[in-house]
Amino acid sequence: MNKTINNYIIWIIVLFLEWFILRVANSANLWIFIAIPIIAAFIYTEYNNQPPKNRRNLR
C-alpha cells in the first residue's frame, strides 16, 4: 500500500475516533482522550515517512 494512502487512512481513523469520543462523552473536559490519538497518529505518520536507512556491505 502506498505510504500516502496509508497516512490518509490513519488520519481518517483518528478523526472518526475523535468524533466518536466527543459524541459519546458530550463533554469538552476530555481533552486528554482527544489529544492522545492525534499525537499517536502524528508520531506514526512521521516515523512511517522516513526514508529507509542504507546499510553498508562491509565485505
Side-chain angles (χ1 to χ4, degrees):
M1 188 181 289
N2 190 359
K3 285 185 180 182
T4 306
I5 294 171
N6 191 14
N7 288 345
Y8 285 136
I9 291 171
I10 294 297
W11 282 106
I12 288 170
I13 291 170
V14 166
L15 290 176
F16 177 75
L17 221 126
E18 300 295 331
W19 172 80
F20 184 72
I21 289 171
L22 289 174
R23 179 65 66 178
V24 170
N26 287 331
S27 173
N29 294 331
L30 300 174
W31 63 271
I32 191 72
F33 295 112
I34 295 170
I36 289 173
I38 293 173
I39 293 169
F42 180 75
I43 290 171
Y44 175 77
T45 54
E46 289 299 317
Y47 179 74
N48 196 24
N49 284 336
Q50 291 182 352
K53 293 181 181 178
N54 293 333
R55 291 188 175 184
R56 292 177 48 195
N57 190 356
L58 298 177
R59 283 190 195 178

